[in-house]
Amino acid sequence: MSEEELVGRVLVNGSVTLCKLLRDSAIQTLDPIVGHRLLGVRRRAKVLMFDFDSGMTLVMHMKLSGQWAIRRPDGRRRVAGHPVPKPAQSYPHRATHAVLTFDDGTTVYYSDIRQFGWWRLLPTPDVDALIASFGFGPEGTEPLDPKAFAAALSRRTIPIKTLLLDQSFVAGLGNIYVDEVLFAARIHPATPANNVSAVKRNRIVAAIPVVLAEGIRQEGATIINSIAVPENGFPAVHGREGQPCVRCGTPIRKIRVGARGTYFCPNCQQLPWRARVASAGTGGD
DNA sequence: TGCGTTGTTTCACC
DNA sequence: CGGTGAAACAACGC
């Protein structure tokens, strides 16, 4: 969203009112980009990069509760990310920690109710090394190589959900979207990765880019206090504990997998026979 | 008030 | 050394 709205504009003002937003930044002020033109926007995994014509790049991660709200000079507004602050209310909100103003009158409000997100300002040539240091795997928004995916799964015993959350394995999936991918692929989230059949594996490969595309289209899922407000039936399972499965009507269940809240349909997503036996044999559940 | 929340890192251990 | 699982951390709302 930011690309079409902001690229080509000059940043005329940038204020950060939460010191720790730039805590780990090489440069602790936005001064080096104020008065400069935004040349382009990039994304890798969940990291956004804004390249300015001063040779500096603003890099950011919104973590679990970051939000971008763009207000155009004509009053039109676009909001992406966390649902709080409510898009309809007035900005800045109590949770607004940075405001950017561009030369056409466009204003960007960055809010983060949990304050876990971060911004870093650094020379553009240093960005690649920073991104490399994160060790991201292949982009989930791009088609994955099914052979490499199969080989990787066969070597891992951890729950498939935990593996899909690993950004060095596939980059871009968070807790909500992993649950949605596994629902689309009809796989129990606790299934050991090496017990996922070839058919189900291919369903995962197909589902990942589709789920991420829908998440991006919606500009973030609306989940407030663990309760989803689905749009067009999405999210289908995450945040819908006790509500009927959109496919079979069975109440959605919530469990913990790898210490993460995990939603699934107990009818559509069953453990394979091998995993059930293994889990019964060790007395686990 | 302590627990839940998520993305990520760190830790002990095999 | 790498896979694993658990714990830690960030801050806040309920």
PDB file of all heavy atoms in Angstrom, chain A residues 159-194:
ATOM      1  N   PRO A 159       6.618 -30.379  15.160  1.00  0.00           N
ATOM      2  CA  PRO A 159       5.284 -30.171  14.584  1.00  0.00           C
ATOM      3  C   PRO A 159       5.353 -29.300  13.328  1.00  0.00           C
ATOM      4  O   PRO A 159       6.118 -28.330  13.278  1.00  0.00           O
ATOM      5  CB  PRO A 159       4.514 -29.446  15.698  1.00  0.00           C
ATOM      6  CG  PRO A 159       5.209 -29.835  16.952  1.00  0.00           C
ATOM      7  CD  PRO A 159       6.663 -30.012  16.590  1.00  0.00           C
ATOM      8  N   ILE A 160       4.553 -29.652  12.343  1.00  0.00           N
ATOM      9  CA  ILE A 160       4.565 -28.907  11.081  1.00  0.00           C
ATOM     10  C   ILE A 160       4.272 -27.434  11.309  1.00  0.00           C
ATOM     11  O   ILE A 160       4.844 -26.561  10.668  1.00  0.00           O
ATOM     12  CB  ILE A 160       3.566 -29.529  10.068  1.00  0.00           C
ATOM     13  CG1 ILE A 160       3.660 -28.829   8.717  1.00  0.00           C
ATOM     14  CG2 ILE A 160       2.139 -29.529  10.594  1.00  0.00           C
ATOM     15  CD1 ILE A 160       5.011 -28.967   8.023  1.00  0.00           C
ATOM     16  N   LYS A 161       3.421 -27.133  12.300  1.00  0.00           N
ATOM     17  CA  LYS A 161       3.125 -25.725  12.585  1.00  0.00           C
ATOM     18  C   LYS A 161       4.385 -24.980  13.032  1.00  0.00           C
ATOM     19  O   LYS A 161       4.646 -23.861  12.589  1.00  0.00           O
ATOM     20  CB  LYS A 161       2.050 -25.622  13.672  1.00  0.00           C
ATOM     21  CG  LYS A 161       2.058 -24.258  14.355  1.00  0.00           C
ATOM     22  CD  LYS A 161       0.758 -23.779  14.823  1.00  0.00           C
ATOM     23  CE  LYS A 161       0.903 -22.360  15.356  1.00  0.00           C
ATOM     24  NZ  LYS A 161      -0.347 -21.765  15.760  1.00  0.00           N
ATOM     25  N   THR A 162       5.138 -25.602  13.924  1.00  0.00           N
ATOM     26  CA  THR A 162       6.358 -24.970  14.433  1.00  0.00           C
ATOM     27  C   THR A 162       7.349 -24.729  13.295  1.00  0.00           C
ATOM     28  O   THR A 162       7.994 -23.677  13.225  1.00  0.00           O
ATOM     29  CB  THR A 162       6.989 -25.855  15.515  1.00  0.00           C
ATOM     30  OG1 THR A 162       6.014 -26.112  16.523  1.00  0.00           O
ATOM     31  CG2 THR A 162       8.199 -25.191  16.142  1.00  0.00           C
ATOM     32  N   LEU A 163       7.448 -25.694  12.401  1.00  0.00           N
ATOM     33  CA  LEU A 163       8.385 -25.556  11.286  1.00  0.00           C
ATOM     34  C   LEU A 163       7.972 -24.413  10.351  1.00  0.00           C
ATOM     35  O   LEU A 163       8.808 -23.635   9.892  1.00  0.00           O
ATOM     36  CB  LEU A 163       8.468 -26.878  10.515  1.00  0.00           C
ATOM     37  CG  LEU A 163       9.528 -26.943   9.404  1.00  0.00           C
ATOM     38  CD1 LEU A 163      10.927 -26.661   9.962  1.00  0.00           C
ATOM     39  CD2 LEU A 163       9.494 -28.302   8.714  1.00  0.00           C
ATOM     40  N   LEU A 164       6.675 -24.306  10.081  1.00  0.00           N
ATOM     41  CA  LEU A 164       6.211 -23.250   9.171  1.00  0.00           C
ATOM     42  C   LEU A 164       6.357 -21.862   9.778  1.00  0.00           C
ATOM     43  O   LEU A 164       6.397 -20.854   9.057  1.00  0.00           O
ATOM     44  CB  LEU A 164       4.753 -23.499   8.765  1.00  0.00           C
ATOM     45  CG  LEU A 164       4.509 -24.736   7.893  1.00  0.00           C
ATOM     46  CD1 LEU A 164       3.023 -24.907   7.613  1.00  0.00           C
ATOM     47  CD2 LEU A 164       5.295 -24.679   6.598  1.00  0.00           C
ATOM     48  N   LEU A 165       6.426 -21.798  11.107  1.00  0.00           N
ATOM     49  CA  LEU A 165       6.634 -20.505  11.777  1.00  0.00           C
ATOM     50  C   LEU A 165       8.102 -20.084  11.760  1.00  0.00           C
ATOM     51  O   LEU A 165       8.417 -18.928  12.046  1.00  0.00           O
ATOM     52  CB  LEU A 165       6.159 -20.588  13.237  1.00  0.00           C
ATOM     53  CG  LEU A 165       4.681 -20.366  13.503  1.00  0.00           C
ATOM     54  CD1 LEU A 165       4.381 -20.631  14.982  1.00  0.00           C
ATOM     55  CD2 LEU A 165       4.252 -18.966  13.128  1.00  0.00           C
ATOM     56  N   ASP A 166       8.983 -21.024  11.447  1.00  0.00           N
ATOM     57  CA  ASP A 166      10.417 -20.749  11.451  1.00  0.00           C
ATOM     58  C   ASP A 166      10.777 -19.929  10.214  1.00  0.00           C
ATOM     59  O   ASP A 166      10.710 -20.418   9.088  1.00  0.00           O
ATOM     60  CB  ASP A 166      11.172 -22.089  11.470  1.00  0.00           C
ATOM     61  CG  ASP A 166      12.682 -21.907  11.503  1.00  0.00           C
ATOM     62  OD1 ASP A 166      13.167 -20.767  11.318  1.00  0.00           O
ATOM     63  OD2 ASP A 166      13.385 -22.904  11.713  1.00  0.00           O
ATOM     64  N   GLN A 167      11.184 -18.678  10.426  1.00  0.00           N
ATOM     65  CA  GLN A 167      11.437 -17.765   9.303  1.00  0.00           C
ATOM     66  C   GLN A 167      12.641 -18.180   8.464  1.00  0.00           C
ATOM     67  O   GLN A 167      12.784 -17.730   7.333  1.00  0.00           O
ATOM     68  CB  GLN A 167      11.627 -16.332   9.810  1.00  0.00           C
ATOM     69  CG  GLN A 167      10.438 -15.815  10.593  1.00  0.00           C
ATOM     70  CD  GLN A 167       9.176 -15.730   9.764  1.00  0.00           C
ATOM     71  OE1 GLN A 167       9.103 -14.964   8.813  1.00  0.00           O
ATOM     72  NE2 GLN A 167       8.179 -16.534  10.119  1.00  0.00           N
ATOM     73  N   SER A 168      13.507 -19.022   9.030  1.00  0.00           N
ATOM     74  CA  SER A 168      14.642 -19.504   8.239  1.00  0.00           C
ATOM     75  C   SER A 168      14.220 -20.668   7.355  1.00  0.00           C
ATOM     76  O   SER A 168      14.950 -21.069   6.448  1.00  0.00           O
ATOM     77  CB  SER A 168      15.801 -19.919   9.154  1.00  0.00           C
ATOM     78  OG  SER A 168      15.470 -21.080   9.885  1.00  0.00           O
ATOM     79  N   PHE A 169      13.042 -21.204   7.598  1.00  0.00           N
ATOM     80  CA  PHE A 169      12.523 -22.308   6.784  1.00  0.00           C
ATOM     81  C   PHE A 169      11.669 -21.754   5.641  1.00  0.00           C
ATOM     82  O   PHE A 169      11.942 -22.004   4.474  1.00  0.00           O
ATOM     83  CB  PHE A 169      11.715 -23.261   7.673  1.00  0.00           C
ATOM     84  CG  PHE A 169      11.198 -24.459   6.924  1.00  0.00           C
ATOM     85  CD1 PHE A 169      12.060 -25.459   6.512  1.00  0.00           C
ATOM     86  CD2 PHE A 169       9.852 -24.580   6.640  1.00  0.00           C
ATOM     87  CE1 PHE A 169      11.593 -26.555   5.811  1.00  0.00           C
ATOM     88  CE2 PHE A 169       9.377 -25.678   5.947  1.00  0.00           C
ATOM     89  CZ  PHE A 169      10.254 -26.673   5.527  1.00  0.00           C
ATOM     90  N   VAL A 170      10.636 -21.007   5.998  1.00  0.00           N
ATOM     91  CA  VAL A 170       9.850 -20.234   5.027  1.00  0.00           C
ATOM     92  C   VAL A 170       9.645 -18.862   5.649  1.00  0.00           C
ATOM     93  O   VAL A 170       9.270 -18.766   6.808  1.00  0.00           O
ATOM     94  CB  VAL A 170       8.468 -20.858   4.747  1.00  0.00           C
ATOM     95  CG1 VAL A 170       7.711 -20.029   3.718  1.00  0.00           C
ATOM     96  CG2 VAL A 170       8.608 -22.284   4.263  1.00  0.00           C
ATOM     97  N   ALA A 171       9.875 -17.804   4.883  1.00  0.00           N
ATOM     98  CA  ALA A 171       9.790 -16.456   5.432  1.00  0.00           C
ATOM     99  C   ALA A 171       8.438 -15.836   5.170  1.00  0.00           C
ATOM    100  O   ALA A 171       7.956 -15.843   4.033  1.00  0.00           O
ATOM    101  CB  ALA A 171      10.898 -15.583   4.844  1.00  0.00           C
ATOM    102  N   GLY A 172       7.809 -15.337   6.207  1.00  0.00           N
ATOM    103  CA  GLY A 172       6.603 -14.534   6.030  1.00  0.00           C
ATOM    104  C   GLY A 172       5.377 -15.000   6.779  1.00  0.00           C
ATOM    105  O   GLY A 172       4.436 -14.230   6.958  1.00  0.00           O
ATOM    106  N   LEU A 173       5.357 -16.255   7.200  1.00  0.00           N
ATOM    107  CA  LEU A 173       4.167 -16.759   7.886  1.00  0.00           C
ATOM    108  C   LEU A 173       4.240 -16.459   9.375  1.00  0.00           C
ATOM    109  O   LEU A 173       5.242 -16.739  10.016  1.00  0.00           O
ATOM    110  CB  LEU A 173       4.037 -18.271   7.692  1.00  0.00           C
ATOM    111  CG  LEU A 173       3.722 -18.773   6.284  1.00  0.00           C
ATOM    112  CD1 LEU A 173       3.915 -20.280   6.217  1.00  0.00           C
ATOM    113  CD2 LEU A 173       2.305 -18.390   5.890  1.00  0.00           C
ATOM    114  N   GLY A 174       3.166 -15.915   9.936  1.00  0.00           N
ATOM    115  CA  GLY A 174       3.049 -15.729  11.372  1.00  0.00           C
ATOM    116  C   GLY A 174       2.005 -16.682  11.931  1.00  0.00           C
ATOM    117  O   GLY A 174       1.471 -17.537  11.212  1.00  0.00           O
ATOM    118  N   ASN A 175       1.702 -16.509  13.184  1.00  0.00           N
ATOM    119  CA  ASN A 175       0.834 -17.471  13.878  1.00  0.00           C
ATOM    120  C   ASN A 175      -0.552 -17.601  13.238  1.00  0.00           C
ATOM    121  O   ASN A 175      -1.080 -18.700  13.107  1.00  0.00           O
ATOM    122  CB  ASN A 175       0.701 -17.053  15.342  1.00  0.00           C
ATOM    123  CG  ASN A 175       0.271 -18.204  16.222  1.00  0.00           C
ATOM    124  OD1 ASN A 175       0.645 -19.352  15.986  1.00  0.00           O
ATOM    125  ND2 ASN A 175      -0.526 -17.917  17.232  1.00  0.00           N
ATOM    126  N   ILE A 176      -1.124 -16.474  12.830  1.00  0.00           N
ATOM    127  CA  ILE A 176      -2.460 -16.519  12.221  1.00  0.00           C
ATOM    128  C   ILE A 176      -2.416 -17.299  10.910  1.00  0.00           C
ATOM    129  O   ILE A 176      -3.223 -18.206  10.674  1.00  0.00           O
ATOM    130  CB  ILE A 176      -2.963 -15.086  11.934  1.00  0.00           C
ATOM    131  CG1 ILE A 176      -3.123 -14.306  13.236  1.00  0.00           C
ATOM    132  CG2 ILE A 176      -4.259 -15.113  11.134  1.00  0.00           C
ATOM    133  CD1 ILE A 176      -3.317 -12.809  13.031  1.00  0.00           C
ATOM    134  N   TYR A 177      -1.460 -16.943  10.071  1.00  0.00           N
ATOM    135  CA  TYR A 177      -1.455 -17.473   8.709  1.00  0.00           C
ATOM    136  C   TYR A 177      -1.012 -18.925   8.654  1.00  0.00           C
ATOM    137  O   TYR A 177      -1.437 -19.668   7.756  1.00  0.00           O
ATOM    138  CB  TYR A 177      -0.629 -16.555   7.804  1.00  0.00           C
ATOM    139  CG  TYR A 177      -1.207 -15.151   7.818  1.00  0.00           C
ATOM    140  CD1 TYR A 177      -0.548 -14.093   8.426  1.00  0.00           C
ATOM    141  CD2 TYR A 177      -2.475 -14.926   7.299  1.00  0.00           C
ATOM    142  CE1 TYR A 177      -1.117 -12.835   8.482  1.00  0.00           C
ATOM    143  CE2 TYR A 177      -3.055 -13.668   7.349  1.00  0.00           C
ATOM    144  CZ  TYR A 177      -2.376 -12.632   7.941  1.00  0.00           C
ATOM    145  OH  TYR A 177      -2.946 -11.388   8.015  1.00  0.00           O
ATOM    146  N   VAL A 178      -0.192 -19.354   9.615  1.00  0.00           N
ATOM    147  CA  VAL A 178       0.154 -20.781   9.663  1.00  0.00           C
ATOM    148  C   VAL A 178      -1.096 -21.606   9.962  1.00  0.00           C
ATOM    149  O   VAL A 178      -1.332 -22.643   9.337  1.00  0.00           O
ATOM    150  CB  VAL A 178       1.246 -21.039  10.718  1.00  0.00           C
ATOM    151  CG1 VAL A 178       1.372 -22.532  10.990  1.00  0.00           C
ATOM    152  CG2 VAL A 178       2.579 -20.492  10.249  1.00  0.00           C
ATOM    153  N   ASP A 179      -1.899 -21.151  10.900  1.00  0.00           N
ATOM    154  CA  ASP A 179      -3.149 -21.869  11.190  1.00  0.00           C
ATOM    155  C   ASP A 179      -4.036 -21.946   9.946  1.00  0.00           C
ATOM    156  O   ASP A 179      -4.666 -22.973   9.675  1.00  0.00           O
ATOM    157  CB  ASP A 179      -3.923 -21.174  12.323  1.00  0.00           C
ATOM    158  CG  ASP A 179      -3.310 -21.443  13.692  1.00  0.00           C
ATOM    159  OD1 ASP A 179      -2.317 -22.201  13.765  1.00  0.00           O
ATOM    160  OD2 ASP A 179      -3.821 -20.903  14.691  1.00  0.00           O
ATOM    161  N   GLU A 180      -4.080 -20.861   9.193  1.00  0.00           N
ATOM    162  CA  GLU A 180      -4.910 -20.836   7.978  1.00  0.00           C
ATOM    163  C   GLU A 180      -4.358 -21.756   6.893  1.00  0.00           C
ATOM    164  O   GLU A 180      -5.112 -22.425   6.192  1.00  0.00           O
ATOM    165  CB  GLU A 180      -5.023 -19.398   7.457  1.00  0.00           C
ATOM    166  CG  GLU A 180      -5.742 -18.452   8.411  1.00  0.00           C
ATOM    167  CD  GLU A 180      -7.130 -18.958   8.797  1.00  0.00           C
ATOM    168  OE1 GLU A 180      -7.924 -19.253   7.886  1.00  0.00           O
ATOM    169  OE2 GLU A 180      -7.413 -19.083   9.999  1.00  0.00           O
ATOM    170  N   VAL A 181      -3.032 -21.786   6.769  1.00  0.00           N
ATOM    171  CA  VAL A 181      -2.404 -22.682   5.778  1.00  0.00           C
ATOM    172  C   VAL A 181      -2.728 -24.136   6.115  1.00  0.00           C
ATOM    173  O   VAL A 181      -3.106 -24.922   5.238  1.00  0.00           O
ATOM    174  CB  VAL A 181      -0.870 -22.468   5.742  1.00  0.00           C
ATOM    175  CG1 VAL A 181      -0.173 -23.623   5.020  1.00  0.00           C
ATOM    176  CG2 VAL A 181      -0.533 -21.141   5.077  1.00  0.00           C
ATOM    177  N   LEU A 182      -2.614 -24.493   7.388  1.00  0.00           N
ATOM    178  CA  LEU A 182      -2.833 -25.893   7.769  1.00  0.00           C
ATOM    179  C   LEU A 182      -4.303 -26.271   7.676  1.00  0.00           C
ATOM    180  O   LEU A 182      -4.629 -27.431   7.399  1.00  0.00           O
ATOM    181  CB  LEU A 182      -2.267 -26.151   9.171  1.00  0.00           C
ATOM    182  CG  LEU A 182      -0.733 -26.069   9.212  1.00  0.00           C
ATOM    183  CD1 LEU A 182      -0.221 -26.205  10.646  1.00  0.00           C
ATOM    184  CD2 LEU A 182      -0.102 -27.132   8.321  1.00  0.00           C
ATOM    185  N   PHE A 183      -5.198 -25.297   7.881  1.00  0.00           N
ATOM    186  CA  PHE A 183      -6.618 -25.579   7.656  1.00  0.00           C
ATOM    187  C   PHE A 183      -6.874 -25.812   6.166  1.00  0.00           C
ATOM    188  O   PHE A 183      -7.542 -26.783   5.776  1.00  0.00           O
ATOM    189  CB  PHE A 183      -7.482 -24.419   8.162  1.00  0.00           C
ATOM    190  CG  PHE A 183      -8.942 -24.588   7.838  1.00  0.00           C
ATOM    191  CD1 PHE A 183      -9.720 -25.513   8.520  1.00  0.00           C
ATOM    192  CD2 PHE A 183      -9.534 -23.836   6.828  1.00  0.00           C
ATOM    193  CE1 PHE A 183     -11.068 -25.680   8.206  1.00  0.00           C
ATOM    194  CE2 PHE A 183     -10.875 -24.000   6.513  1.00  0.00           C
ATOM    195  CZ  PHE A 183     -11.642 -24.923   7.202  1.00  0.00           C
ATOM    196  N   ALA A 184      -6.321 -24.942   5.334  1.00  0.00           N
ATOM    197  CA  ALA A 184      -6.505 -25.094   3.877  1.00  0.00           C
ATOM    198  C   ALA A 184      -5.942 -26.430   3.402  1.00  0.00           C
ATOM    199  O   ALA A 184      -6.507 -27.063   2.502  1.00  0.00           O
ATOM    200  CB  ALA A 184      -5.821 -23.941   3.142  1.00  0.00           C
ATOM    201  N   ALA A 185      -4.841 -26.868   4.017  1.00  0.00           N
ATOM    202  CA  ALA A 185      -4.200 -28.118   3.601  1.00  0.00           C
ATOM    203  C   ALA A 185      -4.764 -29.330   4.331  1.00  0.00           C
ATOM    204  O   ALA A 185      -4.355 -30.456   4.059  1.00  0.00           O
ATOM    205  CB  ALA A 185      -2.688 -28.022   3.824  1.00  0.00           C
ATOM    206  N   ARG A 186      -5.685 -29.088   5.265  1.00  0.00           N
ATOM    207  CA  ARG A 186      -6.329 -30.146   6.054  1.00  0.00           C
ATOM    208  C   ARG A 186      -5.312 -31.019   6.792  1.00  0.00           C
ATOM    209  O   ARG A 186      -5.309 -32.231   6.679  1.00  0.00           O
ATOM    210  CB  ARG A 186      -7.244 -30.993   5.159  1.00  0.00           C
ATOM    211  CG  ARG A 186      -8.553 -30.276   4.816  1.00  0.00           C
ATOM    212  CD  ARG A 186      -9.321 -30.986   3.723  1.00  0.00           C
ATOM    213  NE  ARG A 186      -8.853 -30.561   2.404  1.00  0.00           N
ATOM    214  CZ  ARG A 186      -8.971 -31.265   1.292  1.00  0.00           C
ATOM    215  NH1 ARG A 186      -9.528 -32.447   1.329  1.00  0.00           N
ATOM    216  NH2 ARG A 186      -8.539 -30.796   0.152  1.00  0.00           N
ATOM    217  N   ILE A 187      -4.457 -30.356   7.563  1.00  0.00           N
ATOM    218  CA  ILE A 187      -3.406 -31.044   8.311  1.00  0.00           C
ATOM    219  C   ILE A 187      -3.486 -30.619   9.769  1.00  0.00           C
ATOM    220  O   ILE A 187      -3.598 -29.424  10.079  1.00  0.00           O
ATOM    221  CB  ILE A 187      -2.012 -30.675   7.752  1.00  0.00           C
ATOM    222  CG1 ILE A 187      -1.922 -31.076   6.275  1.00  0.00           C
ATOM    223  CG2 ILE A 187      -0.912 -31.345   8.571  1.00  0.00           C
ATOM    224  CD1 ILE A 187      -0.681 -30.536   5.593  1.00  0.00           C
ATOM    225  N   HIS A 188      -3.416 -31.589  10.670  1.00  0.00           N
ATOM    226  CA  HIS A 188      -3.371 -31.275  12.100  1.00  0.00           C
ATOM    227  C   HIS A 188      -2.073 -30.543  12.407  1.00  0.00           C
ATOM    228  O   HIS A 188      -1.000 -31.012  12.029  1.00  0.00           O
ATOM    229  CB  HIS A 188      -3.466 -32.566  12.911  1.00  0.00           C
ATOM    230  CG  HIS A 188      -3.704 -32.343  14.381  1.00  0.00           C
ATOM    231  ND1 HIS A 188      -2.778 -31.729  15.196  1.00  0.00           N
ATOM    232  CD2 HIS A 188      -4.770 -32.636  15.161  1.00  0.00           C
ATOM    233  CE1 HIS A 188      -3.268 -31.673  16.430  1.00  0.00           C
ATOM    234  NE2 HIS A 188      -4.473 -32.206  16.433  1.00  0.00           N
ATOM    235  N   PRO A 189      -2.153 -29.400  13.100  1.00  0.00           N
ATOM    236  CA  PRO A 189      -0.949 -28.579  13.303  1.00  0.00           C
ATOM    237  C   PRO A 189       0.154 -29.272  14.095  1.00  0.00           C
ATOM    238  O   PRO A 189       1.326 -28.901  13.973  1.00  0.00           O
ATOM    239  CB  PRO A 189      -1.475 -27.352  14.053  1.00  0.00           C
ATOM    240  CG  PRO A 189      -2.843 -27.703  14.527  1.00  0.00           C
ATOM    241  CD  PRO A 189      -3.371 -28.740  13.599  1.00  0.00           C
ATOM    242  N   ALA A 190      -0.195 -30.291  14.881  1.00  0.00           N
ATOM    243  CA  ALA A 190       0.831 -30.974  15.687  1.00  0.00           C
ATOM    244  C   ALA A 190       1.474 -32.141  14.934  1.00  0.00           C
ATOM    245  O   ALA A 190       2.348 -32.815  15.486  1.00  0.00           O
ATOM    246  CB  ALA A 190       0.224 -31.471  16.996  1.00  0.00           C
ATOM    247  N   THR A 191       1.090 -32.381  13.710  1.00  0.00           N
ATOM    248  CA  THR A 191       1.672 -33.483  12.936  1.00  0.00           C
ATOM    249  C   THR A 191       3.184 -33.305  12.814  1.00  0.00           C
ATOM    250  O   THR A 191       3.640 -32.234  12.386  1.00  0.00           O
ATOM    251  CB  THR A 191       1.070 -33.523  11.514  1.00  0.00           C
ATOM    252  OG1 THR A 191      -0.346 -33.491  11.586  1.00  0.00           O
ATOM    253  CG2 THR A 191       1.541 -34.763  10.762  1.00  0.00           C
ATOM    254  N   PRO A 192       3.969 -34.321  13.190  1.00  0.00           N
ATOM    255  CA  PRO A 192       5.419 -34.206  12.961  1.00  0.00           C
ATOM    256  C   PRO A 192       5.683 -33.956  11.473  1.00  0.00           C
ATOM    257  O   PRO A 192       5.067 -34.590  10.614  1.00  0.00           O
ATOM    258  CB  PRO A 192       5.954 -35.576  13.394  1.00  0.00           C
ATOM    259  CG  PRO A 192       4.937 -36.087  14.375  1.00  0.00           C
ATOM    260  CD  PRO A 192       3.609 -35.567  13.883  1.00  0.00           C
ATOM    261  N   ALA A 193       6.604 -33.026  11.188  1.00  0.00           N
ATOM    262  CA  ALA A 193       6.829 -32.625   9.792  1.00  0.00           C
ATOM    263  C   ALA A 193       7.133 -33.818   8.903  1.00  0.00           C
ATOM    264  O   ALA A 193       6.657 -33.893   7.770  1.00  0.00           O
ATOM    265  CB  ALA A 193       7.960 -31.598   9.723  1.00  0.00           C
ATOM    266  N   ASN A 194       7.897 -34.782   9.416  1.00  0.00           N
ATOM    267  CA  ASN A 194       8.261 -35.919   8.573  1.00  0.00           C
ATOM    268  C   ASN A 194       7.143 -36.960   8.476  1.00  0.00           C
ATOM    269  O   ASN A 194       7.309 -37.988   7.821  1.00  0.00           O
ATOM    270  CB  ASN A 194       9.559 -36.570   9.067  1.00  0.00           C
ATOM    271  CG  ASN A 194       9.432 -37.120  10.481  1.00  0.00           C
ATOM    272  OD1 ASN A 194       8.397 -36.967  11.122  1.00  0.00           O
ATOM    273  ND2 ASN A 194      10.481 -37.747  10.964  1.00  0.00           N
TER     274      ASN A 194
END
